[in-house]
Amino acid sequence: MKKNDYASAGKPISLFTVLRMLFPFALASFPVLFLLTNAVGIAHGASFGLNTFLSQLFFDSVTKAVSQQTGLSVVLGLAAALGAATIGSEILNGLHNFMGKTYYRKMIGYLSLRMNEKASRLDPIVYESPELLDDINKANEGMTNSLGLLFTTVTIFTFYIPYFIFMGFYLYTLKPILALSLILVFIPVVISQLIRGAVFAGLEDQAAPIRREFEYVERCICDREYYKETRILGAFAFFIDLYRSALSLLAVKTWRAELRTRLLELGMKMVTLAGYFGILYMLVAAMLDGEISIGSFAAVFASIGFMFGMMEEVITSQIGSMTKNLGTVRNFIRFLKLPERSGEEARINAGDGVVLSDVSFRYPGADSESLSDITLELKKGETIAIVGENGAGKTTLIKLMTGLYVPSTGVVRIGGADTRNVSAKSVYREITAVFQKYQRYKMTLEDNIRISDPDEGERRSKHGLQLAVRKADLDVNAGAFPDGHATMLSREFDGVDLSGGLWQRVAIARGFYRIHGMIVLDEPTAAIDPIEESNLYKKFAEIAKDNTAIIVTHRLGSAKIADRIVVLDQGRIAETGTHDELMRKTGKYAEMFSAQAQWYSIQH
Ligand SMILES: Nc1ncnc2c1ncn2[C@@H]1O[C@H](COP(=O)(O)OP(=O)(O)OP(=O)(O)O)[C@@H](O)[C@H]1O
């Protein structure tokens, strides 16, 4: 499969771009909490610097007190100040953690909402890209990690950097070489973490398709819709094999990446450790040479272990997880940047008809066009049937005629509006549809139907519900619905399950419930037997009398109810006309019709 515009293989997004996109979220969502949390973080960082400085004064005062150059009260005063600073630092630490966690929880909710909103605004054609599934999969994980990244970055700037600058400056004033060695120790470890980030970003790109396959196979093994086939056909063992191999492939890839980065980290830690002992050596030498006071030595010695611990934390834990997660965060950002359908809001009545002029359509990444040179008019109040063999382009044509997709070339006008220029919401507003692959929502019968027009008021809702149920020939008083409209349609939620035929009627009722000017039936009767189907289509013809309607069907007998039949062949219109006209033409339609008639007569 070729990659396309929506594929994850876009230009790499830099850390700077990632942060530039994340910060506005952080500021826009809960600005006061965000700023306060960081102000506390800065105060916390400064408190460590203050502690080191007070320690030096304290140790110096102790040495002076020993040689009786100063009084005990000075020592006690400094000890009290040091104790107060330590308690203050702890309080700030607790406050910083608490505020950070509160902010994190709030942001997770906020970002999840943003993701769902984004998904609802995506251009539907994006869903034709298999890579998009990877992107969504990875974006979900990236969303949580993006918060980690944001926090780490902010903490580095508001806590660690001020602290290291202070310490660097402090060491510099004692002996310049001490500050320099601090930097030399720091750099190799940062480099190792950046390499680690690159390794994990690459791993993420390789792992996502495997994970997608792995999750799909898992569904084949466990999901209800598959279990009959997997058990009866003995496919269980087949899927378990696939599951095992995907699992081990994933494990091997992760293990290799971990091993590489751990070895790298180990090497870099050695460098850090060498630096640590180097600084200690220089400190002792400087003290013995009388370059620094005993107090300075003691303060630096006491804080240097802590400082290295902190450096280790910021580099391996903070920067490490940041770079490791950068790959997934990039996917989140990429997801947020996926194209949305733009266009103006307009009042469009799809019931006024649809006009297609010289329309062609090619799926993203596809080698050839699925529809070519389509010119067709669906007039106001007209019912057309679209027929054709498998793969002829029927569903694609419906997607264009309902404005779900826009054409690659040519123009589609719904109710007079060019689908490329108006918002998706404006186009769908007056359209309803029943698809062959409808959804079985695990909700009450009423909710299953009302989902198609939730904004309707209570009165219209009750009346509309009864009407839709009647039109779809659903007998709510029959045993299948023990609680009438309130029957829960899921065993999982203590309700009932329906037969395939009844589910299909629920889907049809859902389609009828929505107020519409145009209705599309895309093979909605596949699970209903032919006699029932014929009744339903007769009824549909009555209902569609005042509506603009499109029917897609494989059973040509049902197409007869249409005012006009459009025959598609390999993405082109082969013929149009009424049933009788097309039969007289003895073309594609007549050929298909007689093949089906023959099939029925053989069956009889
Ligand atoms: N996402 C896609 N990417 C690439 N090609 C696609 C995609 N979806 C459909 N096609 C191709 O477009 C052509 C038309 O498909 P379409 O589903 O519209 O036909 P159809 O007449 O509705 O078929 P059927 O009766 O089997 O449902 C086919 O050749 C199909 O392989």
Side-chain angles (χ1 to χ4, degrees), residues 218-235:
E218 195 171 45
R219 286 215 319 271
C220 292
I221 296 170
C222 306
D223 268 21
R224 189 165 175 235
E225 57 179 306
Y226 294 97
Y227 87 93
K228 264 187 282 168
E229 262 195 36
T230 48
R231 302 304 188 279
I232 291 175
L233 299 183

Side-chain angles (χ1 to χ4, degrees), residues 128 363-364 366 370 388-397 523 554:
E128 296 292 347
Y363 281 96
S370 292
E389 286 164 356
N390 287 120
K394 302 181 292 293
T395 302
T396 311
L397 184 57
E523 299 210 53
H554 270 109

Side-chain angles (χ1 to χ4, degrees), residues 50-224:
L50 183 68
N51 275 2
T52 311
F53 182 61
L54 285 174
S55 301
Q56 180 199 330
L57 294 182
F58 173 70
F59 289 129
D60 276 341
S61 72
V62 172
T63 353
K64 281 182 186 160
V66 171
S67 56
Q68 300 196 335
Q69 286 171 358
T70 188
L72 190 62
S73 59
V74 176
V75 176
L76 289 178
L78 281 167
L82 192 58
T86 309
I87 291 171
S89 182
E90 281 306 316
I91 291 173
L92 287 171
N93 185 24
L95 198 62
H96 190 215
N97 275 338
F98 173 74
M99 290 171 85
K101 279 186 182 138
T102 310
Y103 181 72
Y104 186 85
R105 266 200 310 278
K106 283 177 176 254
M107 274 298 280
I108 283 280
Y110 174 80
L111 287 181
S112 305
L113 206 64
R114 287 291 305 240
M115 264 200 75
N116 291 336
E117 279 170 3
K118 171 74 194 184
S120 74
R121 285 196 309 267
L122 283 182
D123 190 338
I125 190 70
V126 167
Y127 284 89
E128 296 292 347
S129 157
E131 289 86 356
L132 174 84
L133 296 175
D134 287 347
D135 278 355
I136 293 183
N137 179 350
K138 291 190 282 184
N140 262 319
E141 199 182 332
M143 183 193 74
T144 328
N145 289 338
S146 72
L147 278 182
L149 182 82
L150 190 72
F151 270 109
T152 307
T153 313
V154 169
T155 313
I156 285 173
F157 280 97
T158 58
F159 177 73
Y160 291 104
I161 290 190
Y163 173 74
F164 285 124
I165 288 178
F166 175 84
M167 282 308 288
F169 183 71
Y170 180 64
L171 289 173
Y172 183 82
T173 54
L174 293 179
K175 194 171 159 67
I177 189 86
L178 286 175
L180 190 67
S181 56
L182 193 72
I183 296 167
L184 288 178
V185 169
F186 200 61
I187 289 171
V189 187
V190 170
I191 292 172
S192 82
Q193 291 309 320
L194 292 178
I195 297 174
R196 181 181 157 88
V199 171
F200 274 94
L203 170 74
E204 188 51 38
D205 281 342
Q206 288 176 25
I210 305 172
R211 204 180 303 130
R212 184 155 59 99
E213 185 191 329
F214 175 70
E215 281 161 9
Y216 176 66
V217 174
E218 195 171 45
R219 286 215 319 271
C220 292
I221 296 170
C222 306
D223 268 21
R224 189 165 175 235

Side-chain angles (χ1 to χ4, degrees), residues 162-354:
Y163 173 74
F164 285 124
I165 288 178
F166 175 84
M167 282 308 288
F169 183 71
Y170 180 64
L171 289 173
Y172 183 82
T173 54
L174 293 179
K175 194 171 159 67
I177 189 86
L178 286 175
L180 190 67
S181 56
L182 193 72
I183 296 167
L184 288 178
V185 169
F186 200 61
I187 289 171
V189 187
V190 170
I191 292 172
S192 82
Q193 291 309 320
L194 292 178
I195 297 174
R196 181 181 157 88
V199 171
F200 274 94
L203 170 74
E204 188 51 38
D205 281 342
Q206 288 176 25
I210 305 172
R211 204 180 303 130
R212 184 155 59 99
E213 185 191 329
F214 175 70
E215 281 161 9
Y216 176 66
V217 174
E218 195 171 45
R219 286 215 319 271
C220 292
I221 296 170
C222 306
D223 268 21
R224 189 165 175 235
E225 57 179 306
Y226 294 97
Y227 87 93
K228 264 187 282 168
E229 262 195 36
T230 48
R231 302 304 188 279
I232 291 175
L233 299 183
F236 189 74
F238 175 81
F239 284 121
I240 287 284
D241 262 2
L242 279 183
Y243 186 79
R244 263 201 211 111
S245 56
L247 190 69
S248 63
L249 195 61
L250 206 59
V252 166
K253 283 199 181 295
T254 314
W255 184 80
R256 276 196 199 134
E258 280 287 348
L259 186 73
R260 273 175 65 190
T261 57
R262 292 286 166 211
L263 285 175
L264 191 76
E265 249 172 53
L266 194 68
M268 294 302 167
K269 267 189 189 166
M270 295 296 174
V271 178
T272 310
L273 209 61
Y276 175 66
F277 285 112
I279 289 180
L280 276 186
Y281 172 78
M282 282 189 277
L283 268 178
V284 174
M287 189 190 65
L288 293 179
D289 289 350
E291 284 180 66
I292 60 172
S293 69
I294 297 177
S296 303
F297 171 79
V300 175
F301 185 74
S303 62
I304 208 160
F306 174 76
M307 193 176 70
F308 270 92
M310 195 121 108
M311 198 184 266
E312 166 130 24
E313 182 189 314
V314 68
I315 293 172
T316 46
S317 154
Q318 304 269 20
I319 299 184
S321 67
M322 181 167 133
T323 48
K324 182 176 170 181
N325 295 335
L326 190 61
T328 63
V329 174
R330 283 188 176 127
N331 294 317
F332 173 59
I333 300 292
R334 215 174 261 144
F335 176 76
L336 292 180
K337 285 178 149 186
L338 278 174
E340 290 179 17
R341 180 80 165 265
S342 57
E344 289 171 9
E345 287 292 311
R347 193 81 223 172
I348 298 170
N349 187 357
D352 287 346
V354 182

